[in-house]
Structure formats: structure tokens, C-alpha cells
């Protein structure tokens, strides 16, 4: 397992020979720990609750609502030689007081790119995630024998982002379809109300007035029923 001194040496080794050691970009010594490096929140977050990708770099922060699961892109890009593997772990300061889920994943030797970190908010209140603030810790290990296989995964896990974006697009189209359907029903309700009101007024003004009052009374209920369900 790499200590902070080993991590610094690994970075020097990589600078001298890209087939050895490790790289962390951007690197900030303030986030170096005795046995790892604290990774920070990057530019993008996907919310499963909202079914959308949020540009946190522009917004500055994002609130993870209760029972929402988010996928966070790390600010740092990690590069590992075939001689080094890594694991990613939770920060106790995020898990215990803020009710976020534990993180446990691996990084294969030969990996290069940003990481995707999944978090779930188990608490009954929202948790604020801020751009460029630390979110988890990566620990590095020297493998006993040099790895022979490459990760064969797209850099920055663009393959997973495409899946998330496709889900967001599908959810958006579903919401549009539901909204258009509700608008159609509302138009039908208004036309029917006007038609019934007009006919009854011609037959009997008193009945017409009663019908108008009845329609006015049930209109808020109809509007509430036709609202999109959260």
C-alpha cells in the first residue's frame, strides 16, 4: 500500500517513464493523505431522481435530496501503470454526519481517466455537494506481478455517461408525452364545460348558472388530477 511518500515517488516515476508509477491531474498536495489522496467533485453529476445531468461547475453546488442516488464525476484524472492498482473509499465525514452511502470500488492497473462515484442519500434531509470539494479517497497498491491485461474501458467512462444520458433523454420524452396528454385533456374539459354551460344557459338561465358554479367548483380538482405526478 502506498504511503504519501510512495505516492510522491510514484508521480516522479511516471514523469520519468510513463510506463511506471502513477499520475494524478490536477494534483494538490493539500489533498494528499498518509495512505492516499482525496478526490474532489468534478464538473458533472447525474441525479437518478431528476433523471438529468447537472453541470455543477456552473452551478457551484448541488443538493442530493433524500433517497436520491447520484453519479459524480471526479475532478482528478488518475493514471496507473501496469504495476499499480487502486481502491476508492468513503470519507467518514460524509457518511456519518450527512447520511451518504459507503463507496467501494477498484481501479485496474493501466487505467487512465476520471472516475465515476455513486452516492445515495439515506438521510431525511438534503446534502450539499460542492464543486472541487473532496468526496472520497483513493488508495494505491503495488501489484505483486505486473498486470498483463488492460482495462479496455473508455477513458473517463464515457460509455457509462452515454447510458445515463440515454436514460435522461428517455425520461424527458416520457414527461413531455405526459404533459402533452394532460394539456389535451384540459382542452377537452374546457371545451366540454363551455359547450354544456352554453347549452344549459339557452334552455334555462338558472340551470346554466348552477352548471357554471358546479364547473367552477370542480375545476381546481380537475387541474390537480391532471398535474404531473412526482
Amino acid at each position: 500500500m502506498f504511503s504519501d511518500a510512495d505516492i510522491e515517488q510514484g508521480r516522479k516515476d511516471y514523469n520519468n517513464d510513463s510506463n511506471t508509477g502513477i499520475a494524478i491531474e490536477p494534483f494538490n498536495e493539500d489533498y494528499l493523505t498518509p495512505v492516499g489522496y482525496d478526490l474532489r467533485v468534478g464538473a458533472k453529476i447525474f441525479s437518478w431522481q431528476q433523471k438529468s445531468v447537472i453541470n455543477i461547475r456552473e452551478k457551484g453546488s448541488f443538493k442530493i435530496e433524500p433517497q436520491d442516488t447520484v453519479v459524480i464525476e471526479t475532478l482528478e484524472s488518475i493514471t496507473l501503470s501496469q504495476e499499480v492498482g487502486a481502491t476508492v473509499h468513503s470519507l467518514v465525514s460524509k457518511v456519518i454526519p450527512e447520511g451518504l452511502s459507503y463507496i467501494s470500488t477498484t481501479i485496474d492497473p493501466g487505467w487512465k481517466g476520471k472516475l465515476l462515484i455513486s452516492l445515495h442519500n439515506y438521510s431525511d434531509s438534503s446534502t450539499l455537494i460542492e464543486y472541487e470539494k473532496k468526496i472520497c479517497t483513493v488508495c494505491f497498491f503495488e501489484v505483486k506481478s505486473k498486470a498483463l491485461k488492460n482495462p479496455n474501458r473508455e477513458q473517463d467512462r464515457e460509455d457509462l455517461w452515454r447510458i445515463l444520458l440515454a436514460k435522461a433523454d428517455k425520461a424527458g420524452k416520457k414527461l413531455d408525452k405526459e404533459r402533452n396528454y394532460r394539456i389535451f385533456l384540459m382542452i377537452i374539459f374546457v371545451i366540454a364545460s363551455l359547450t354544456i354551460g352554453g347549452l344549459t344557459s339557452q334552455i334555462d338561465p338558472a340551470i346554466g348558472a348552477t352548471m357554471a358554479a358546479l364547473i367552477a367548483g370542480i375545476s381546481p380538482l380537475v387541474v390537480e388530477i391532471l398535474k404531473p405526478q412526482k
Side-chain angles (χ1 to χ4, degrees):
M1 185 177 188
F2 281 33
S3 68
D4 51 353
D6 295 326
I7 292 172
E8 292 281 26
Q9 184 60 51
R11 294 178 62 241
K12 292 177 182 177
D13 292 342
Y14 180 82
N15 289 334
N16 294 327
D17 180 1
S18 60
N19 292 316
T20 62
I22 64 175
I24 304 172
E25 294 294 340
F27 178 81
N28 187 324
E29 193 172 349
D30 292 342
Y31 297 97
L32 187 63
T33 75
V35 290
Y37 184 88
D38 289 339
L39 299 175
R40 291 169 286 172
V41 176
K44 295 185 292 186
I45 288 182
F46 178 84
S47 164
W48 278 101
Q49 204 170 80
Q50 297 184 21
K51 297 293 192 302
S52 63
V53 177
I54 296 91
N55 188 328
I56 192 172
R57 179 165 52 192
E58 292 181 355
K59 294 180 177 296
S61 63
F62 176 76
K63 285 185 178 180
I64 306 177
E65 297 299 335
Q67 305 308 316
D68 190 13
T69 300
V70 297
V71 179
I72 303 171
E73 180 185 68
T74 61
L75 179 71
E76 290 84 2
S77 179
I78 304 295
T79 302
L80 304 181
S81 68
Q82 295 297 111
E83 302 169 345
V84 180
T87 54
V88 181
H89 305 274
S90 304
L91 295 175
V92 174
S93 59
K94 293 291 183 184
V95 172
I96 294 178
E98 298 185 19
L100 295 178
S101 60
Y102 278 94
I103 301 167
S104 180
T105 189
T106 60
I107 313 174
D108 294 331
W111 168 256
K112 182 177 182 179
K114 297 178 180 180
L115 306 175
L116 298 186
I117 306 299
S118 180
L119 285 174
H120 183 80
N121 183 5
Y122 285 104
S123 72
D124 56 3
S125 60
S126 61
T127 296
L128 187 68
I129 297 296
E130 297 180 87
Y131 178 59
E132 292 191 335
K133 296 295 184 180
K134 59 185 182 181
I135 193 67
C136 59
T137 299
V138 58
C139 298
F140 302 95
F141 300 85
E142 182 179 5
V143 296
K144 186 175 181 180
S145 301
K146 185 176 180 179
L148 300 178
K149 292 184 177 181
N150 288 314
N152 292 323
R153 297 186 182 94
E154 292 187 32
Q155 187 170 331
D156 299 338
R157 294 315 310 257
E158 290 295 336
D159 54 330
L160 294 183
W161 276 118
R162 284 197 297 273
I163 293 173
L164 294 176
L165 287 170
K167 290 183 179 295
D169 182 62
K170 183 178 180 180
K173 289 179 179 178
K174 182 180 179 182
L175 287 175
D176 287 342
K177 186 176 180 180
E178 290 177 352
R179 182 168 57 250
N180 292 337
Y181 179 65
R182 288 185 173 89
I183 290 173
F184 172 75
L185 290 180
M186 181 60 73
I187 292 172
I188 294 299
F189 173 75
V190 171
I191 292 174
S193 300
L194 292 174
T195 302
I196 294 171
L199 291 174
T200 52
S201 295
Q202 292 176 7
I203 297 171
D204 189 328
I207 297 177
T210 303
M211 289 297 298
L214 178 61
I215 291 171
I218 67 172
S219 290
L221 178 61
V222 174
V223 170
E224 191 64 29
I225 293 173
L226 294 178
K227 277 185 180 179
Q229 300 299 308
K230 295 182 178 179

